[in-house]
Amino acid sequence: MRAASGLSGHRPFTWLIVVAACSASSKGPDQATVAPVVATVAPVVVPAAPAPEGPPGVKVTLQEVGLEASSLDRTADPCVDFYQFACGGWLAKNEIPADRARWGRFSEIDERNKAALKELLEDDAKGTATDPAAKKLGDFFASCMDEAGIEKAGLASVKPLLDKAARVKDKRSWTTALIELQKAGIDVMWSVTAGPDAKQSSNVITQLDSGGIGLPERAYYLDAKYKDKLDAYAAHVGKMLALAKSPGKAEDVVAIETALATVSKTPVEQRDVPAAYNPTDLKGLAAQAKSVEWGAYFKALGFAPSAKINVGSPKFFAAIDGLRAQFQPAQWAAYFTDHALEAVADTLPAAIDDEHFELQKALTGVEKRPERYKRCIDATTAALGELLGKQYADKAFSPAAKQTASTLVDAIVQSMHDDLASLDWMSPETKQIALAKLAKIVRMIGYPDTWKSYAFAVKRDDYAGNALRASTFETHRQRAKSGKPYDRSEWEMNTFTVNAYYEPSANNTALPAGILQVPFFGADRGIAANLGGIGLVIGHELTHGFDDQGALFDAEGNLQNWWSPEDKAKFDAKGTCVADQYSSFEAAPKSFVSGRLTLGEDIADLGGVKMAFHSYRTLRAGAAKQYVADGLTEDQQFFVGVAQAWCDKDRPAEIQRRLAVDPHAPPKFRVYGALRNLPEFATAFACPLGTPMHPQQACAVW
Ligand SMILES: [Zn+2]
């Protein structure tokens, strides 16, 4: 995400759209080296209905084409539950590890990458390197691994911050506490960052939005269905305050956050892009929230705001004066203290660190913490991501691999071009503009061309201080972009991250080296398996340029309508078809997917799988032989490749949390939704009309 990678987990609203609301960092050594796209196996032929003795073609095994026979459940009917058919074996033999709330293919790669990052960081931490980057990484990692040192240091490094938080007596000290915490990237009251001006994307402007709650979203405070979570939260906050010997009361923290939640947007409302564009200036801001001296506020934060300032949630800012008057200084002191503590807790002695983890347990169902070294990899990644990313890229991702991945992306762009050009519902005028936008998408592959530097002190014996300095530095780096030109080449994900993204304001897409691994990609896999895996990911990201949000931005990344009214009406109706269908998916008993929350991701999945399938067909066109893998035709292999990249298990609490906040449907329903709406799937498996995987009414946007 563009926003400051602060110590706390809050993420202000951003345009950034990822393929999976996924996982921490990771790093992929072996597998990451990409291979020739038009590799080894596989021909293309439209499969007829399978003959009794099986389809014609050269007989090979699933393993030889890069798919997993053991992950299949051959007893499942692919026309009824294809996810079970492709993933049933995997589901039967995988349990969610105690330290994970979700376990799937992204997590598997993440674990693999962590092993490689561990090697790099342990090497850095030996202290023998002369390279300053290696020394910085090594010292940071070592400071995190030093549990005895952390116990001994106690709260010393964070005490000045906690003191400021606790010392709220009047309006002035309230502002001081707010500013000190926000400087450190801690989420209190509202978020303040910088990002492209939605309507003039070459300029970066200051962006303000709602913030300051400790639970995942507003409904946790306001909807009775989350009462057990709110109770657990209140108990946890009470323990945190007691551990820090604060006189603050948990009920005051909950009361303030409930008031903030009441004036915050729902996750669906947050997806309304035009509603989040409310440019103003310092004067306008002063009119919205009179009790803050905004000029002095920005000065104290240490950066000059842009002349134009965007307020994401005017309703929230209009409520600030009232909120400040509604609560007493002691209540605010409790609120600020708790937020500061939660943000730094995992750098502190075990008693506080462990209590902080209790909240994650309650919210996600996760049972135990990851091993120390894994937590320290994540912390080092959050603090010094591109230093580690460079070490990773140097070791694991060759220029040849980058070239090969580029070829793949080009093939899918071509498919998307052909698809757009042949759409029957769009007028030629709108189509021309869409094609021009597609042609302008900047494709970033593997790793950035230039690397960030990290100008803050790292001490081998001061983990809490290191983390605080890192967060303060990164937060300021982001805010200081205010008023500057937008750098479209900057990466918003780490090189080793198992994910990908499209950024509407930049009209660019990034495919980090970290995801270019099995089961998404492998040098020796067949084309069908690779295009089902990474092909879908690439197609998904490109389609984001044309999902319900992306379609609001033009080729330059400006929020500007380029649609004729008739075409836009047809596009919106197609989106409604998708949203209604996904809203009927029951992800847990009586809990349904929120089709309006997941609409952008669902459109991207539907388009992505279609582009990937057409690319695979093109790459296999004219092949001399067709390969049949353990009885599966090449088309069938493609679809198994799609599903096997998304095999996944979630804990019940995690399913509930994600249904509330995650713009992605659960993986099972992403596969189900994407494939049942694609006619080529029904053909490949000869699914009769009316079966779950071949519904009477299918939806298609692109
Ligand atoms: Zn996405």
Side-chain angles (χ1 to χ4, degrees):
M1 305 238 149
R2 150 170 329 107
S5 59
L7 284 170
S8 63
H10 175 75
R11 291 180 152 185
F13 180 57
T14 160
W15 309 127
L16 180 61
I17 297 159
V18 300
V19 70
C22 163
S23 48
S25 46
S26 48
K27 150 173 207 172
D30 339 298
Q31 315 274 13
T33 10
V34 184
V37 172
V38 192
T40 47
V41 199
V44 123
V45 168
V46 185
E53 69 278 14
V58 179
K59 304 226 175 331
V60 294
T61 64
L62 280 165
Q63 193 183 353
E64 285 173 289
V65 301
L67 296 169
E68 298 158 351
S70 66
S71 291
L72 295 176
D73 172 5
R74 296 260 189 188
T75 68
D77 181 344
C79 296
V80 174
D81 188 349
F82 185 68
Y83 183 79
Q84 178 64 27
F85 175 82
C87 287
W90 185 95
L91 294 167
K93 68 183 181 224
N94 276 272
E95 288 307 324
I96 306 172
D99 63 354
R100 296 258 185 185
R102 155 174 284 188
W103 180 249
R105 310 318 294 266
F106 285 78
S107 344
E108 284 178 1
I109 301 178
D110 182 54
E111 288 287 323
R112 222 183 289 154
N113 287 357
K114 279 223 165 63
L117 290 175
K118 179 171 184 265
E119 234 173 76
L120 282 173
L121 286 171
E122 285 180 346
D123 215 34
D124 293 335
K126 282 179 192 155
T128 51
T130 48
D131 169 30
K135 174 158 173 44
K136 198 162 241 180
L137 284 165
D139 285 350
F140 194 100
F141 184 71
S143 75
C144 174
M145 290 298 291
D146 180 11
E147 292 177 88
I150 290 168
E151 290 299 325
K152 206 172 134 201
L155 304 188
S157 288
V158 299
K159 188 158 185 311
L161 190 69
L162 292 174
D163 286 349
K164 293 242 170 55
R167 219 175 279 144
V168 180
K169 293 188 181 63
D170 49 22
K171 279 188 175 173
R172 195 187 157 93
S173 48
W174 184 93
T175 307
T176 305
L178 176 88
I179 288 168
E180 288 303 314
L181 268 58
Q182 287 188 344
K183 258 188 186 170
I186 294 168
D187 175 31
V188 276
M189 295 301 290
W190 57 80
S191 70
V192 48
T193 183
D197 180 346
K199 291 202 175 173
Q200 212 177 336
S201 66
S202 51
N203 300 333
V204 176
I205 61 171
T206 306
Q207 309 266 1
L208 299 177
D209 211 336
S210 59
I213 59 175
L215 285 168
E217 65 113 349
R218 73 193 293 279
Y220 279 74
Y221 299 88
L222 306 172
D223 186 337
K225 121 175 150 181
Y226 295 105
K227 189 175 179 306
D228 60 326
K229 301 284 186 268
L230 184 59
D231 289 346
Y233 181 58
H236 157 75
V237 169
K239 286 180 193 161
M240 287 294 275
L241 291 170
L243 281 166
K245 302 194 170 49
S246 159
K249 294 195 184 77
E251 64 251 38
D252 290 335
V253 177
V254 172
I256 288 176
E257 291 185 10
T258 303
L260 294 173
T262 306
V263 291
S264 297
K265 290 178 183 176
T266 66
V268 171
E269 286 168 342
Q270 283 174 25
R271 292 195 72 251
D272 185 340
V273 174
Y277 188 65
N278 307 287
T280 185
D281 55 16
L282 273 179
K283 230 171 140 184
L285 203 50
Q288 292 181 45
K290 297 183 185 63
S291 68
V292 181
E293 289 176 47
W294 290 99
Y297 163 82
F298 286 116
K299 199 169 174 200
L301 275 182
F303 77 100
S306 50
K308 193 196 262 186
I309 296 170
N310 186 52
V311 176
S313 310
K315 185 176 144 192
F316 183 92
F317 282 81
I320 286 173
D321 294 340
L323 286 167
R324 287 186 68 177
Q326 186 184 339
F327 296 100
Q328 300 304 311
Q331 295 179 289
W332 285 112
Y335 169 75
F336 286 134
T337 300
D338 179 62
H339 277 244
L341 271 174
E342 305 280 3
V344 299
D346 61 4
T347 68
L348 297 179
I352 295 179
D353 184 23
D354 290 347
E355 179 52 42
H356 181 62
F357 178 63
E358 290 299 313
L359 179 60
Q360 292 173 43
K361 269 184 169 169
L363 293 177
T364 68
V366 65
E367 289 165 0
K368 73 171 206 174
R369 317 198 78 143
E371 286 176 72
R372 183 83 200 167
Y373 81 86
K374 290 183 187 171
R375 296 178 58 201
C376 290
I377 290 171
D378 287 343
T380 311
T381 294
L384 301 163
E386 289 203 1
L387 289 191
L388 193 53
K390 178 157 191 331
Q391 289 194 344
Y392 166 76
D394 288 347
K395 186 173 167 186
F397 198 68
S398 67
K402 190 162 175 161
Q403 182 52 46
T404 308
S406 303
T407 312
L408 246 178
V409 177
D410 292 348
I412 292 173
V413 169
Q414 185 59 47
S415 285
M416 190 155 187
H417 178 276
D418 297 347
D419 175 72
L420 281 172
S422 65
L423 280 183
D424 59 2
W425 58 270
M426 192 185 260
S427 68
E429 295 73 31
T430 307
K431 208 178 268 186
Q432 280 314 309
I433 305 172
L435 287 169
K437 177 172 178 178
L438 175 67
K440 277 207 149 188
I441 294 180
V442 176
R443 309 153 205 174
M444 309 194 296
I445 294 166
Y447 50 86
D449 293 332
T450 56
W451 301 92
K452 288 177 187 161
S453 57
Y454 297 85
F456 59 89
V458 172
K459 299 175 191 167
R460 211 174 165 94
D461 61 353
D462 184 15
Y463 178 42
N466 289 340
L468 207 50
R469 283 186 290 275
S471 177
T472 304
F473 175 83
E474 193 59 40
T475 301
H476 181 263
R477 168 164 36 210
Q478 297 300 331
R479 290 173 183 160
K481 293 175 185 168
S482 292
K484 307 234 162 69
Y486 181 31
D487 176 6
R488 291 169 198 262
S489 69
E490 183 178 342
W491 278 61
E492 302 181 17
M493 261 178 201
N494 281 316
T495 305
F496 39 79
T497 301
V498 191
N499 217 326
Y501 70 84
Y502 171 83
E503 165 65 62
S505 284
N507 196 27
N508 68 11
T509 182
L511 190 64
I515 196 172
L516 288 161
Q517 300 186 60
V518 173
F520 291 95
F521 187 83
D524 52 357
R525 298 169 95 211
I527 290 171
N530 274 346
L531 270 290
I534 201 68
L536 181 147
V537 170
I538 296 165
H540 171 105
E541 298 307 339
L542 292 171
T543 308
H544 269 316
F546 305 89
D547 71 16
D548 63 318
Q549 287 184 327
L552 303 173
F553 292 80
D554 66 14
E556 311 305 323
N558 290 319
L559 182 59
Q560 181 173 287
N561 183 38
W562 46 271
W563 293 74
S564 74
E566 298 75 31
D567 289 332
K568 187 64 168 53
K570 288 181 198 162
F571 175 76
D572 290 344
K574 288 172 181 296
T576 298
C577 176
V578 175
D580 289 349
Q581 188 186 112
Y582 277 71
S583 293
S584 74
F585 297 168
E586 192 172 12
K590 296 201 178 105
S591 291
F592 292 83
V593 173
S594 168
R596 281 286 157 193
L597 176 61
T598 62
L599 180 56
E601 298 299 332
D602 302 336
I603 291 174
D605 282 342
L606 296 181
V609 73
K610 185 174 168 185
M611 313 305 160
F613 186 79
H614 291 169
S615 295
Y616 135 73
R617 279 281 184 87
T618 304
L619 289 168
R620 291 296 297 149
K625 296 175 194 160
Q626 188 188 17
Y627 291 82
V628 177
D630 290 341
L632 296 179
T633 66
E634 291 193 16
D635 282 6
Q636 292 172 336
Q637 291 163 37
F638 171 89
F639 292 116
V640 168
V642 167
Q644 288 195 339
W646 295 92
C647 305
D648 168 90
K649 280 186 166 178
D650 288 2
R651 295 181 185 276
E654 180 68 355
I655 292 177
Q656 293 301 335
R657 189 187 69 82
R658 286 183 180 271
L659 287 175
V661 301
D662 191 344
H664 306 83
K668 171 180 176 175
F669 292 99
R670 293 182 68 172
V671 171
Y672 178 59
L675 298 188
R676 74 199 298 260
N677 287 298
L678 188 73
E680 288 89 341
F681 175 87
T683 305
F685 285 91
C687 295
L689 186 64
T691 53
M693 294 306 296
H694 189 187
Q696 299 280 354
Q697 196 208 3
C699 303
V701 181
W702 298 107

